[in-house]
Short mmCIF file of all heavy atoms in Angstrom, two decimals:
data_model
loop_
_atom_site.label_atom_id
_atom_site.label_comp_id
_atom_site.label_asym_id
_atom_site.label_seq_id
_atom_site.Cartn_x
_atom_site.Cartn_y
_atom_site.Cartn_z
N ALA Y 1 -25.17 -42.63 -13.44
CA ALA Y 1 -25.25 -41.29 -12.94
C ALA Y 1 -26.27 -40.49 -13.62
O ALA Y 1 -26.75 -40.80 -14.67
CB ALA Y 1 -23.87 -40.69 -13.04
N TRP Y 2 -26.81 -39.47 -12.85
CA TRP Y 2 -27.58 -38.43 -13.51
C TRP Y 2 -26.75 -37.04 -13.54
O TRP Y 2 -26.18 -36.69 -12.53
CB TRP Y 2 -28.89 -38.20 -12.70
CG TRP Y 2 -29.83 -39.33 -12.80
CD1 TRP Y 2 -29.86 -40.52 -12.07
CD2 TRP Y 2 -30.82 -39.62 -13.93
NE1 TRP Y 2 -30.82 -41.33 -12.43
CE2 TRP Y 2 -31.39 -40.75 -13.56
CE3 TRP Y 2 -31.14 -38.85 -15.01
CZ2 TRP Y 2 -32.34 -41.36 -14.39
CZ3 TRP Y 2 -32.15 -39.38 -15.78
CH2 TRP Y 2 -32.81 -40.71 -15.50
N HIS Y 3 -26.92 -36.50 -14.67
CA HIS Y 3 -26.34 -35.09 -14.74
C HIS Y 3 -27.40 -34.25 -15.21
O HIS Y 3 -28.61 -34.75 -15.61
CB HIS Y 3 -25.28 -35.07 -15.95
CG HIS Y 3 -24.17 -35.94 -15.65
ND1 HIS Y 3 -22.77 -35.49 -15.49
CD2 HIS Y 3 -23.90 -37.24 -15.41
CE1 HIS Y 3 -21.92 -36.35 -15.20
NE2 HIS Y 3 -22.55 -37.58 -15.19
N ARG Y 4 -27.45 -32.89 -15.16
CA ARG Y 4 -28.29 -31.95 -15.63
C ARG Y 4 -27.69 -30.86 -16.24
O ARG Y 4 -26.39 -30.37 -15.93
CB ARG Y 4 -29.35 -31.56 -14.54
CG ARG Y 4 -28.56 -30.71 -13.54
CD ARG Y 4 -29.59 -30.28 -12.36
NE ARG Y 4 -29.10 -29.34 -11.42
CZ ARG Y 4 -29.82 -28.99 -10.34
NH1 ARG Y 4 -31.07 -29.66 -10.07
NH2 ARG Y 4 -29.31 -28.07 -9.62
N GLN Y 5 -28.47 -30.05 -17.16
CA GLN Y 5 -27.91 -28.99 -17.95
C GLN Y 5 -29.06 -28.03 -18.02
O GLN Y 5 -30.00 -28.26 -18.68
CB GLN Y 5 -27.35 -29.35 -19.19
CG GLN Y 5 -26.66 -28.13 -19.91
CD GLN Y 5 -25.82 -28.64 -21.06
OE1 GLN Y 5 -26.01 -29.63 -21.64
NE2 GLN Y 5 -24.97 -27.78 -21.49
N ALA Y 6 -28.99 -26.96 -17.29
CA ALA Y 6 -29.87 -25.75 -17.44
C ALA Y 6 -29.48 -24.93 -18.69
O ALA Y 6 -28.37 -24.95 -19.12
CB ALA Y 6 -29.84 -24.95 -16.16
N LEU Y 7 -30.52 -24.20 -19.07
CA LEU Y 7 -30.28 -23.45 -20.18
C LEU Y 7 -29.21 -22.44 -20.09
O LEU Y 7 -29.21 -21.58 -18.94
CB LEU Y 7 -31.59 -22.67 -20.61
CG LEU Y 7 -31.62 -22.01 -21.88
CD1 LEU Y 7 -31.51 -23.03 -23.13
CD2 LEU Y 7 -32.87 -21.12 -22.16
N GLY Y 8 -28.12 -22.45 -20.97
CA GLY Y 8 -27.03 -21.45 -20.89
C GLY Y 8 -26.09 -21.84 -19.86
O GLY Y 8 -25.07 -21.03 -19.49
N GLU Y 9 -26.10 -23.04 -19.19
CA GLU Y 9 -25.23 -23.44 -18.24
C GLU Y 9 -24.56 -24.70 -18.67
O GLU Y 9 -24.90 -25.40 -19.58
CB GLU Y 9 -25.96 -23.70 -16.90
CG GLU Y 9 -26.77 -22.63 -16.27
CD GLU Y 9 -25.82 -21.52 -15.78
OE1 GLU Y 9 -24.72 -21.70 -15.41
OE2 GLU Y 9 -26.31 -20.36 -15.75
N GLN Y 10 -23.32 -24.94 -17.92
CA GLN Y 10 -22.69 -26.19 -18.29
C GLN Y 10 -23.30 -27.48 -17.62
O GLN Y 10 -24.06 -27.25 -16.59
CB GLN Y 10 -21.25 -26.08 -17.69
CG GLN Y 10 -20.36 -25.14 -18.40
CD GLN Y 10 -18.94 -25.28 -18.00
OE1 GLN Y 10 -18.58 -25.62 -16.81
NE2 GLN Y 10 -18.05 -24.91 -18.84
N ARG Y 11 -23.06 -28.57 -18.20
CA ARG Y 11 -23.70 -29.89 -17.70
C ARG Y 11 -23.06 -30.17 -16.37
O ARG Y 11 -21.91 -30.10 -16.23
CB ARG Y 11 -23.54 -31.03 -18.55
CG ARG Y 11 -24.33 -32.23 -18.21
CD ARG Y 11 -24.31 -33.26 -19.39
NE ARG Y 11 -24.84 -32.75 -20.61
CZ ARG Y 11 -25.15 -33.57 -21.71
NH1 ARG Y 11 -24.73 -34.91 -21.54
NH2 ARG Y 11 -25.54 -33.03 -22.76
N GLU Y 12 -23.76 -30.50 -15.37
CA GLU Y 12 -23.21 -30.82 -13.94
C GLU Y 12 -23.79 -32.12 -13.49
O GLU Y 12 -24.94 -32.64 -13.87
CB GLU Y 12 -23.73 -29.74 -12.95
CG GLU Y 12 -25.20 -29.57 -12.69
CD GLU Y 12 -25.48 -28.57 -11.67
OE1 GLU Y 12 -24.61 -28.22 -10.92
OE2 GLU Y 12 -26.61 -28.27 -11.45
N LEU Y 13 -22.95 -32.75 -12.74
CA LEU Y 13 -23.11 -34.01 -11.98
C LEU Y 13 -24.32 -33.90 -10.96
O LEU Y 13 -24.06 -32.91 -10.09
CB LEU Y 13 -21.94 -34.64 -11.44
CG LEU Y 13 -22.17 -36.08 -10.57
CD1 LEU Y 13 -22.70 -37.10 -11.60
CD2 LEU Y 13 -20.80 -36.43 -10.04
N VAL Y 14 -25.27 -34.71 -10.89
CA VAL Y 14 -26.29 -34.60 -9.99
C VAL Y 14 -26.09 -35.73 -8.84
O VAL Y 14 -25.87 -35.40 -7.65
CB VAL Y 14 -27.74 -34.80 -10.49
CG1 VAL Y 14 -28.75 -34.91 -9.46
CG2 VAL Y 14 -28.13 -33.69 -11.50
N ALA Y 15 -25.98 -36.90 -9.34
CA ALA Y 15 -25.73 -37.90 -8.47
C ALA Y 15 -25.19 -39.14 -9.23
O ALA Y 15 -25.34 -39.23 -10.38
CB ALA Y 15 -27.14 -38.43 -7.77
N ARG Y 16 -24.59 -40.13 -8.45
CA ARG Y 16 -23.91 -41.29 -9.07
C ARG Y 16 -24.16 -42.44 -8.13
O ARG Y 16 -24.18 -42.41 -6.85
CB ARG Y 16 -22.48 -40.98 -9.32
CG ARG Y 16 -21.65 -41.95 -9.88
CD ARG Y 16 -20.22 -41.49 -10.09
NE ARG Y 16 -19.37 -42.58 -10.90
CZ ARG Y 16 -18.61 -43.35 -10.32
NH1 ARG Y 16 -18.62 -43.53 -9.01
NH2 ARG Y 16 -17.88 -44.20 -11.00
N VAL Y 17 -24.38 -43.58 -8.65
CA VAL Y 17 -24.42 -44.84 -8.03
C VAL Y 17 -23.64 -45.92 -8.62
O VAL Y 17 -23.67 -46.19 -9.88
CB VAL Y 17 -25.87 -45.25 -7.80
CG1 VAL Y 17 -26.57 -45.62 -9.20
CG2 VAL Y 17 -26.10 -46.53 -6.97
N THR Y 18 -22.80 -46.62 -7.76
CA THR Y 18 -22.02 -47.65 -8.26
C THR Y 18 -22.92 -48.93 -8.44
O THR Y 18 -23.98 -49.03 -8.07
CB THR Y 18 -20.82 -48.06 -7.39
OG1 THR Y 18 -21.38 -48.57 -6.28
CG2 THR Y 18 -19.88 -46.80 -7.04
N TYR Y 19 -22.30 -49.98 -9.12
CA TYR Y 19 -23.01 -51.29 -9.11
C TYR Y 19 -23.43 -51.84 -7.86
O TYR Y 19 -24.44 -52.34 -7.77
CB TYR Y 19 -22.17 -52.32 -9.91
CG TYR Y 19 -22.83 -53.65 -9.98
CD1 TYR Y 19 -23.72 -53.87 -11.21
CD2 TYR Y 19 -22.63 -54.71 -9.18
CE1 TYR Y 19 -24.42 -55.05 -11.37
CE2 TYR Y 19 -23.25 -55.90 -9.27
CZ TYR Y 19 -24.07 -56.06 -10.46
OH TYR Y 19 -24.77 -57.40 -10.54
N ASP Y 20 -22.58 -51.62 -6.88
CA ASP Y 20 -22.82 -52.16 -5.46
C ASP Y 20 -23.78 -51.16 -4.68
O ASP Y 20 -24.03 -51.45 -3.52
CB ASP Y 20 -21.51 -52.31 -4.74
CG ASP Y 20 -20.65 -53.36 -5.43
OD1 ASP Y 20 -21.33 -54.40 -5.86
OD2 ASP Y 20 -19.50 -53.38 -5.28
N GLY Y 21 -24.03 -50.15 -5.23
CA GLY Y 21 -25.06 -49.20 -4.53
C GLY Y 21 -24.43 -48.07 -3.80
O GLY Y 21 -25.21 -47.45 -3.01
N VAL Y 22 -23.20 -47.83 -4.08
CA VAL Y 22 -22.60 -46.68 -3.18
C VAL Y 22 -22.92 -45.39 -4.09
O VAL Y 22 -22.78 -45.36 -5.27
CB VAL Y 22 -20.98 -46.84 -3.22
CG1 VAL Y 22 -20.35 -45.60 -2.54
CG2 VAL Y 22 -20.67 -48.10 -2.44
N THR Y 23 -23.46 -44.47 -3.18
CA THR Y 23 -23.89 -43.30 -3.95
C THR Y 23 -23.03 -42.05 -3.66
O THR Y 23 -22.34 -41.95 -2.56
CB THR Y 23 -25.46 -43.00 -3.35
OG1 THR Y 23 -25.34 -42.81 -1.99
CG2 THR Y 23 -26.27 -44.11 -3.85
N TYR Y 24 -23.22 -41.03 -4.47
CA TYR Y 24 -22.51 -39.80 -4.35
C TYR Y 24 -23.61 -38.74 -4.74
O TYR Y 24 -24.25 -38.91 -5.77
CB TYR Y 24 -21.33 -39.67 -5.13
CG TYR Y 24 -20.83 -38.28 -5.36
CD1 TYR Y 24 -19.99 -37.67 -4.32
CD2 TYR Y 24 -21.14 -37.53 -6.39
CE1 TYR Y 24 -19.53 -36.32 -4.54
CE2 TYR Y 24 -20.80 -36.19 -6.61
CZ TYR Y 24 -19.89 -35.59 -5.66
OH TYR Y 24 -19.51 -34.32 -5.77
N TYR Y 25 -23.52 -37.59 -4.19
CA TYR Y 25 -24.47 -36.55 -4.48
C TYR Y 25 -23.81 -35.16 -4.54
O TYR Y 25 -22.91 -34.94 -3.74
CB TYR Y 25 -25.61 -36.38 -3.45
CG TYR Y 25 -26.51 -37.60 -3.35
CD1 TYR Y 25 -26.33 -38.66 -2.65
CD2 TYR Y 25 -27.55 -37.73 -4.30
CE1 TYR Y 25 -27.08 -39.81 -2.50
CE2 TYR Y 25 -28.53 -38.91 -4.27
CZ TYR Y 25 -28.17 -39.85 -3.33
OH TYR Y 25 -28.93 -41.00 -3.34
N ALA Y 26 -24.13 -34.44 -5.51
CA ALA Y 26 -23.67 -32.92 -5.52
C ALA Y 26 -24.27 -32.36 -4.30
O ALA Y 26 -25.39 -32.69 -3.74
CB ALA Y 26 -24.07 -32.24 -6.60
N ASP Y 27 -23.51 -31.39 -3.67
CA ASP Y 27 -23.94 -30.80 -2.43
C ASP Y 27 -25.38 -30.24 -2.51
O ASP Y 27 -26.15 -30.45 -1.48
CB ASP Y 27 -22.97 -29.73 -2.04
CG ASP Y 27 -21.64 -30.20 -1.50
OD1 ASP Y 27 -21.55 -31.49 -1.27
OD2 ASP Y 27 -20.68 -29.41 -1.56
N SER Y 28 -25.76 -29.61 -3.58
CA SER Y 28 -27.12 -28.86 -3.65
C SER Y 28 -28.34 -29.90 -3.74
O SER Y 28 -29.28 -29.58 -3.47
CB SER Y 28 -27.12 -27.96 -4.76
OG SER Y 28 -27.02 -28.59 -5.96
N MET Y 29 -27.96 -31.26 -3.94
CA MET Y 29 -28.82 -32.28 -4.14
C MET Y 29 -29.12 -33.17 -2.83
O MET Y 29 -29.98 -33.81 -2.69
CB MET Y 29 -28.54 -33.21 -5.22
CG MET Y 29 -28.62 -32.77 -6.68
SD MET Y 29 -28.58 -31.06 -7.05
CE MET Y 29 -27.43 -30.94 -8.38
N LYS Y 30 -28.10 -32.96 -1.97
CA LYS Y 30 -28.15 -33.78 -0.77
C LYS Y 30 -29.39 -33.65 0.05
O LYS Y 30 -29.77 -32.39 0.37
CB LYS Y 30 -26.92 -33.66 0.18
CG LYS Y 30 -25.71 -34.11 -0.54
CD LYS Y 30 -24.50 -33.83 0.40
CE LYS Y 30 -23.21 -34.39 -0.33
NZ LYS Y 30 -21.99 -34.05 0.58
N GLY Y 31 -29.99 -34.69 0.43
CA GLY Y 31 -31.35 -34.57 1.24
C GLY Y 31 -32.45 -34.36 0.38
O GLY Y 31 -33.60 -34.47 1.00
N ARG Y 32 -32.46 -33.98 -0.86
CA ARG Y 32 -33.57 -33.73 -1.59
C ARG Y 32 -33.77 -34.86 -2.67
O ARG Y 32 -34.89 -35.32 -3.11
CB ARG Y 32 -33.66 -32.46 -2.31
CG ARG Y 32 -33.45 -31.26 -1.34
CD ARG Y 32 -33.74 -29.99 -2.16
NE ARG Y 32 -32.74 -29.82 -3.09
CZ ARG Y 32 -33.13 -29.48 -4.50
NH1 ARG Y 32 -34.32 -29.52 -4.82
NH2 ARG Y 32 -32.12 -29.31 -5.30
N PHE Y 33 -32.65 -35.34 -3.26
CA PHE Y 33 -32.57 -36.35 -4.37
C PHE Y 33 -32.11 -37.72 -3.84
O PHE Y 33 -31.23 -37.61 -2.97
CB PHE Y 33 -31.64 -35.75 -5.50
CG PHE Y 33 -32.14 -34.54 -6.20
CD1 PHE Y 33 -33.39 -34.01 -5.81
CD2 PHE Y 33 -31.54 -34.15 -7.31
CE1 PHE Y 33 -33.72 -32.85 -6.55
CE2 PHE Y 33 -32.03 -33.02 -8.02
CZ PHE Y 33 -33.17 -32.37 -7.70
N THR Y 34 -32.64 -38.61 -4.33
CA THR Y 34 -32.25 -40.01 -4.00
C THR Y 34 -31.93 -40.89 -5.34
O THR Y 34 -32.84 -40.96 -6.03
CB THR Y 34 -33.19 -40.72 -3.17
OG1 THR Y 34 -33.36 -40.15 -2.01
CG2 THR Y 34 -32.60 -42.18 -2.77
N ILE Y 35 -30.69 -41.37 -5.52
CA ILE Y 35 -30.40 -42.17 -6.73
C ILE Y 35 -30.51 -43.64 -6.16
O ILE Y 35 -30.05 -44.00 -5.17
CB ILE Y 35 -29.07 -41.79 -7.36
CG1 ILE Y 35 -28.88 -42.47 -8.73
CG2 ILE Y 35 -27.87 -42.07 -6.44
CD1 ILE Y 35 -27.64 -41.94 -9.49
N SER Y 36 -30.96 -44.49 -7.13
CA SER Y 36 -31.01 -45.87 -6.78
C SER Y 36 -31.02 -46.63 -8.26
O SER Y 36 -31.01 -46.06 -9.29
CB SER Y 36 -32.16 -46.27 -6.07
OG SER Y 36 -33.44 -45.92 -6.93
#
């Protein structure tokens, strides 16, 4: 998975991918980010 932390903010999940390639995205990243 990828997480991110902006200055002064909590760390948040960006996207996650299982071994088999199943993906999950945080709502604000959908359509813009691709995890592989």
